[in-house]
Amino acid sequence: CGWEVVDNHHLERVFRFKNFVEALDYVNRVGALAEEEQHHPDISLSWGKVVLTLFTHKIDGLSESDIVFAAKIDRMK
Amino acid sequence: CGWEVVDNHHLERVFRFKNFVEALDYVNRVGALAEEEQHHPDISLSWGKVVLTLFTHKIDGLSESDIVFAAKIDRMK
């Protein structure tokens, strides 16, 4: 699955990894992109799994910058 | 606040940081400890905030190893 629009409020996507270290490594790559773009997703990390949640805090909902950021995440993979 | 027992099922603690990078740095330190101990918390990272959730997946609840891990997290700070 790709990005899902949840509650008409945020984008969410699940990424699976073969262990904790690879998931953590992915969090760091997303974190580097987030700092570069100054657009910070909520990141949930558990063993072998990362969930990214994107929305624009200022409007407490989705904006074009979330769509753009999601596309950049996809290109990063 | 320290660790909270939630739903008699897991331990949860919120850590605050002054920006995203410091929060991410903390996630990496927790991640290193988790690998060392082979005990992996669920980690929620957002701007300036990390939430750690500890429980033992095998029993889907709290065990002594969660208490021990929480204490190690506290000593790490």
Side-chain angles (χ1 to χ4, degrees), chain B residues 2-76:
Chain B
W3 294 95
E4 246 190 303
V5 179
V6 179
D7 295 338
N8 206 24
H9 172 270
H10 57 269
L11 295 178
E12 191 176 288
R13 186 165 176 184
V14 178
F15 300 84
R16 302 270 177 190
F17 301 90
K18 69 168 195 272
N19 55 41
F20 181 79
V21 169
E22 291 203 0
L24 178 56
D25 180 61
Y26 185 67
V27 168
N28 278 294
R29 289 163 57 210
V30 169
L33 181 65
E35 273 297 289
E36 206 178 294
E37 301 288 328
Q38 283 299 303
H39 194 84
H40 299 89
D42 290 351
I43 302 173
S44 160
L45 163 65
S46 48
W47 199 94
K49 182 182 174 188
V50 173
V51 183
L52 300 183
T53 302
L54 304 182
F55 68 103
T56 300
H57 289 251
K58 204 162 39 174
I59 61 167
D60 192 25
L62 283 169
S63 73
E64 200 187 335
S65 65
D66 299 301
I67 313 291
V68 170
F69 191 79
K72 285 183 179 169
I73 293 276
D74 291 345
R75 279 203 293 278
M76 198 186 74

Side-chain angles (χ1 to χ4, degrees), chain A residues 2 14-15 27 47:
Chain A
V14 178
F15 301 84
V27 167
W47 199 94

Side-chain angles (χ1 to χ4, degrees), chain A residues 20-21 28 40 42-43 45-46, chain B residues 20 28 40 42-43 45-46:
Chain A
F20 182 79
V21 170
N28 279 293
H40 298 90
D42 291 351
I43 302 174
L45 163 65
S46 48
Chain B
F20 181 79
N28 278 294
H40 299 89
D42 290 351
I43 302 173
L45 163 65
S46 48

Side-chain angles (χ1 to χ4, degrees), chain A residues 1-4 11-15 26 29-30 33 52 54 66-77:
Chain A
C1 275
W3 294 94
E4 246 190 303
L11 295 178
E12 190 176 290
R13 186 166 176 184
V14 178
F15 301 84
Y26 185 68
R29 290 161 58 210
V30 170
L33 180 66
L52 299 183
L54 304 180
D66 298 300
I67 313 291
V68 171
F69 191 78
K72 285 182 179 170
I73 293 276
D74 291 345
R75 278 202 294 277
M76 198 187 74
K77 277 215 78 171

